[in-house]
Amino acid sequence: MKKKSAYNVAVVGATGAVGTEMLRILEERKFPVDRVLPLASARSAGEDVSFNGQDITVKLLEKDSFAGIDIVLFSAGADTSKEFAPLAVDAGAIVVDNSSAWRMDSHVPLVVPEVNAHALEWHNGIIANPNCSTIQMVVALQPLHKAVCIKRVVVTTFQSVSGTGKDAMEELADQSRKLMSLQESKATVYPHHIAFNCLPHIDDFLPSGYTKEEMKMVNETQKIMEDAMIQVTATTVRVPVFVSHAESINIETKRRLTANEARAILSEAPGVQVYDDPSHQIYPLQIDVAGTDAVYVGRVREDESIANGLNLWVVADNLRKGAALNAVQIAEELIR
Ligand code: A2P
């Protein structure tokens, strides 16, 4: 990308749960922005969003929205990305896309900067931001993989409703209020009530019985870690938490690693914070992690049922490291 002192940055989906966070993170990290262009659908075009203390009017996303734009961050769903990302590239911009539209395209790098920033070298205008659950998992697994080679991963996720979007956050709040006051409440965003409930169902079911979300964790992990031999099996669960995803991860490794050795490796790893002292009730919690940037690892234990295995509890803010922060980090790598 041509070096400039400041860049014109468009955010598609600027009024959504992730888009709002993208604007906040561009501001917090002092990304060199000349002009910011917030884009959304007709539902919110004309509203204001705040950036660097200024109110900026949200514009309607249209085919010719990208003239003069250097970088576009997309977070408005896969259909919008499929239609508009190629138009942004044709207009001369580089796209960082948070949707699932391009992630498994062999011409599109799928990047977590702590793991495979080098993949940015071969982009063709679009760079895909991985699924939120995959991002936090690979940030924690890559340093262990480098040390002892991971053969197999068994993961169960506990994913917050913000991963679905702002409608789901409102639904959790509304259902919780109504159920607490013994009023009738309806499920509209999810197929069942999410308040006081866990749903073992994220994204659509496939004929195999797995969900698309579960298969994203399998396929994206192999692509980002550049190792098709890593076996991954996932169960993804939506839980009544507003922000942050937690994951229970079991790994089987080629060589043995003690829990202490794993903690030592993780405490040196980029983007990781070890938070692991059960004797003082210290382990990462979704509420505490919301609004922060690291991937937190706790409950590190040796798996006593196999020769070389570990259990981990991994928590991160899904809107930040799981989405907006990772996208902005990619943009930072691009302009470096
Ligand atoms: P809008 O506010 O106009 O609906 P969330 O993931 O929190 O639901 O947010 C989705 C984001 O994507 C919102 O900013 C939403 O804008 C935007 N969006 C959804 N569909 C489109 C579309 N067809 N064109 C442009 N923006 C869209």
Side-chain angles (χ1 to χ4, degrees), residues 204-220:
D204 299 332
F205 280 103
L206 297 163
S208 62
Y210 285 88
T211 63
K212 284 187 182 168
E213 184 82 355
E214 287 159 353
M215 295 318 294
K216 285 175 206 167
M217 294 194 78
V218 176
N219 298 323
E220 293 181 21

Side-chain angles (χ1 to χ4, degrees), residues 15-293:
T15 52
V18 171
T20 308
E21 210 64 43
M22 284 169 162
L23 290 169
R24 189 175 299 142
I25 290 174
L26 287 168
E27 190 178 317
E28 276 175 20
R29 293 172 73 92
K30 301 189 170 35
F31 191 87
V33 173
D34 184 8
R35 179 164 71 93
V36 73
L37 174 63
L39 296 164
S41 79
R43 284 182 294 273
S44 55
E47 287 176 11
D48 282 343
V49 292
S50 160
F51 186 74
N52 277 342
Q54 287 186 316
D55 287 338
I56 303 178
T57 306
V58 176
K59 294 273 166 37
L60 177 67
L61 172 65
E62 292 177 292
K63 288 190 164 50
D64 59 0
S65 292
F66 306 106
I69 296 292
D70 301 301
I71 299 170
V72 190
L73 308 179
F74 272 82
S75 192
D79 290 343
T80 305
S81 294
K82 273 187 199 141
E83 184 179 349
F84 288 91
L87 300 176
V89 174
D90 287 347
I94 295 186
V95 168
V96 182
D97 180 37
N98 190 50
S99 81
S100 59
W102 308 96
R103 288 181 190 147
M104 296 312 297
D105 186 316
S106 58
H107 303 287
V108 174
L110 181 65
V111 175
V112 177
E114 292 87 344
V115 178
N116 65 334
H118 56 264
L120 289 171
E121 282 161 25
W122 55 267
H123 80 79
N124 296 301
I126 301 177
I127 295 123
N129 208 40
N131 177 251
C132 43
S133 317
T134 310
I135 292 179
Q136 68 184 70
M137 182 164 86
V138 297
V139 168
L141 293 190
Q142 176 75 0
L144 301 176
H145 186 50
K146 254 205 235 160
V148 287
C149 187
I150 295 172
K151 292 199 310 198
R152 180 165 185 256
V153 180
V154 181
V155 54
T156 304
T157 68
F158 304 75
Q159 295 181 226
S160 69
V161 296
S162 55
T164 311
K166 59 188 175 182
D167 292 353
M169 298 173 83
E170 280 161 23
E171 178 147 309
L172 172 58
D174 187 56
Q175 284 179 0
S176 304
R177 267 192 304 271
K178 289 193 167 133
L179 287 168
M180 290 298 283
S181 52
L182 303 176
Q183 283 176 271
E184 284 276 310
S185 75
K186 276 203 297 223
T188 53
V189 175
Y190 298 114
H192 305 280
H193 271 88
I194 183 63
F196 308 103
N197 209 9
C198 297
L199 310 180
H201 173 188
I202 300 183
D203 208 331
D204 299 332
F205 280 103
L206 297 163
S208 62
Y210 285 88
T211 63
K212 284 187 182 168
E213 184 82 355
E214 287 159 353
M215 295 318 294
K216 285 175 206 167
M217 294 194 78
V218 176
N219 298 323
E220 293 181 21
T221 298
Q222 292 174 342
K223 180 166 174 178
I224 300 161
M225 291 175 70
E226 298 170 350
D227 189 343
M229 300 304 285
I230 299 181
Q231 303 295 300
V232 181
T233 185
T235 303
T236 55
V237 182
R238 190 71 70 190
V239 297
V241 166
F242 285 100
V243 176
S244 301
H245 293 350
E247 297 176 349
S248 164
I249 304 177
N250 175 269
I251 58 171
E252 184 174 359
T253 57
K254 267 202 185 141
R255 290 188 301 285
R256 187 177 140 75
L257 202 60
T258 65
N260 276 338
E261 287 166 338
R263 276 187 215 99
I265 290 168
L266 288 166
S267 60
E268 299 287 310
V272 177
Q273 291 272 336
V274 176
Y275 207 64
D276 194 16
D277 184 1
S279 64
H280 293 96
Q281 285 84 46
I282 289 176
Y283 29 73
L285 294 171
Q286 278 153 290
I287 281 183
D288 296 342
V289 161
T292 69
D293 289 347

